[in-house]
Amino acid sequence: MTNSMRLLAEGDADPAAVLRTQSEVEARIRAICFKTGPPALIGAELEWTVHNIAAPEAPLAVETLRQALGRHTPATLGSSHPPHPLPAGGTISIEPGGQVEISSAPFPTLSALHAAVSADLAHLTVLLEASGLFLGSHGIDPHRAPRRLVRTPRYDAMEQAFDERGGDGRVMMCSTAGLQVCLDAGADLPLRWAAVSALGPPLLAAFGNSRFHAGRDTGFSSARMAAWWAMDPRLTHPVGVSADPAEDWVRYALAAPLTCVRRDGDCWDAPPGATLGDWIRGALPLPLTAADVDYHLSTLFPPVRPRGYLEVRYLDAQAGDDWFAPVAVLATLLADPATTSAALDLALPTADRWVPAWRSGLGDPALRRTAHAVLELAQRRGSFDRGVTETIERKLR
C-alpha cells in the first residue's frame, strides 16, 4: 500500500489531493462509505412536496417559500446567511422542485429521534401555515407536473444529463418526496447490507402511497419509485449484494455515469456517456481529486446508499406522524444480528421484486406475504407504541 493509499484508506486524505490511479480511487471510496463498528445511532431525512392551502395545484413561488422559512432558509433559495437549525437541531434543505427536507441529527434511541423530528416538524408546519402553505402527504406531487424552482450549476447539469433518457429525471428531481432512514453500518456489515436491501421491496410495497401524479392516476403503488426506476439503472437501481459490500459499491461507482463535474463558473455539464472510471483513464482534461470522487458519490441514488452509514432511500414520504412507523420497523429489524438474520431469511424470497413493489404494492401476493411476515417480526421484537402499531395495521389492511 502506497503512502497516498494508506491516507485514503484511513479517511484522512486532503480533499484537494489528486488521485492518479484506480487503486487510489477505490481506496477513497471504501474509506468514506463503509465505517464499521457497533450500531449505535439512527437518523432520518424527511421530504415533502409543498402546496398552497387555498389551491394545492397552484405553482409554488420561491419568494413565498423563502418568506415562510425565514431564518431557516438555505442558500439554495437565496439566503445570504447560514440557515438556523430547527428547534430540535434538524436542518432544512430544499430540493429542485421546492420540496422541503428536514435532516435530523443522529440519535441513540428511537424515542429520542421521534421526539426531535416531531418537534422540528411541528415548528416547520406552523411556519408554512402562516404563509398559506402546507406539506404534502405522498411520495409524489399528486397535483402538479414537475417544475424546477432551485437553479444551481449542479441541478442544471443533472437535468441535462437526465433529459437524455427521457422525462423521468425531471419528475424525480422536482416532484418526488422520500423518507430516508440512516442506520450505522455495523460490525456485521455484509448481513446488515443484505438485510436492508432485501427488505426494500416488501417495505416499499407496504408503505407505498404515491399513485396519483400531476392530476392523473398512474396506476402504480409508488409512482415515486417508478420515476426513479425508469432513469439510468447505473444511477438508481440496487447496488447488488455479496460478501463484500464495499467492493460492490466501488464497482457500481466506477461504472456510474458522471452527471455533473464541478468547475469554475456556472457550467458543470458532464461529458455525455463518461463514467468515473473513464475519468480515471484520462477522459476529462481535469485532474481527478478526492473531492471530485466524493461529489460523484453524492450523485448516485440506489435504493440503499452507503455514506459511512447505510442510507435507506426506498420509502415514500408519509403523511403526518406516519413517518415514524417504517423508521421504527427498520431500526428494530436491524437492532441485533439474530433479528437481522431472521428478517433477511423472510425477505430473501422477494428481494428482487422491485418492479412489482412499485407497480402493484401489496396487490402482489408474494410481496404481501413477505410484508406481513417482516412487519409481524418487527412487532414481536420491538416495543412499539399504539401509533406505530396502528399505522402498520392500517398499511396491511
Side-chain angles (χ1 to χ4, degrees), residues 8 17-29 249-258 261 271 273-290 292-294 296-297:
L8 292 171
V18 175
L19 308 183
R20 294 182 171 85
T21 69
Q22 181 164 318
S23 294
E24 291 180 345
V25 172
E26 291 181 3
R28 177 65 180 177
I29 295 172
W249 180 237
V250 166
R251 187 167 53 248
Y252 189 99
L254 292 175
L258 302 168
V261 177
T275 67
L276 180 62
D278 294 332
W279 195 346
I280 299 169
R281 293 184 287 271
L284 279 70
L286 303 169
L288 177 63
T289 67
D292 292 323
V293 172
D294 298 355
H296 173 68
L297 298 176

Side-chain angles (χ1 to χ4, degrees), residues 205 219-222 353-365 367:
F220 299 147
S221 174
S222 177
R353 294 187 68 78
W354 288 97
V355 174
W358 59 253
R359 186 181 296 277
S360 304
L362 295 181
D364 180 86
L367 284 167

Side-chain angles (χ1 to χ4, degrees), residues 50 52 59-70 73 76-79 94 98 127-128 131-133 147 149-150:
V50 179
N52 291 281
L60 182 63
V62 170
E63 183 57 32
T64 302
L65 184 56
R66 185 161 48 227
Q67 290 180 356
L69 297 178
T73 302
T76 49
L77 280 189
S79 175
I94 304 296
L127 291 179
L128 293 177
S131 293
L133 302 175
R147 171 176 167 264
L149 272 68
V150 177

Side-chain angles (χ1 to χ4, degrees), residues 34-111:
F34 289 98
K35 302 182 187 300
T36 58
L41 300 173
I42 181 169
E45 299 178 15
L46 287 72
E47 296 174 347
W48 301 269
T49 56
V50 179
H51 306 269
N52 291 281
I53 294 173
E57 71 285 353
L60 182 63
V62 170
E63 183 57 32
T64 302
L65 184 56
R66 185 161 48 227
Q67 290 180 356
L69 297 178
R71 63 180 186 166
H72 305 296
T73 302
T76 49
L77 280 189
S79 175
S80 58
H81 304 286
H84 285 236
L86 294 165
T91 58
I92 285 180
S93 58
I94 304 296
E95 297 299 312
Q99 307 98 307
V100 173
E101 176 180 302
I102 291 178
S103 298
S104 81
F107 289 92
T109 66
L110 275 169
S111 59

Side-chain angles (χ1 to χ4, degrees), residues 146 158-173 227 230-232:
M158 291 177 72
E159 184 176 86
Q160 175 170 298
F162 296 155
D163 282 352
E164 294 177 3
R165 297 182 64 95
D168 294 287
R170 292 194 181 211
V171 174
M172 179 278 286
M173 291 176 69
M231 296 170 59
D232 192 323

Side-chain angles (χ1 to χ4, degrees), residues 168-212:
D168 294 287
R170 292 194 181 211
V171 174
M172 179 278 286
M173 291 176 69
C174 301
S175 297
T176 62
L179 166 61
Q180 298 169 25
V181 187
C182 303
L183 302 155
D184 279 338
D188 48 349
L189 174 61
L191 171 63
R192 291 168 67 81
W193 176 263
V196 79
S197 300
L199 287 165
L203 293 184
L204 170 61
F207 293 97
N209 66 6
S210 51
R211 176 168 177 151
F212 294 89

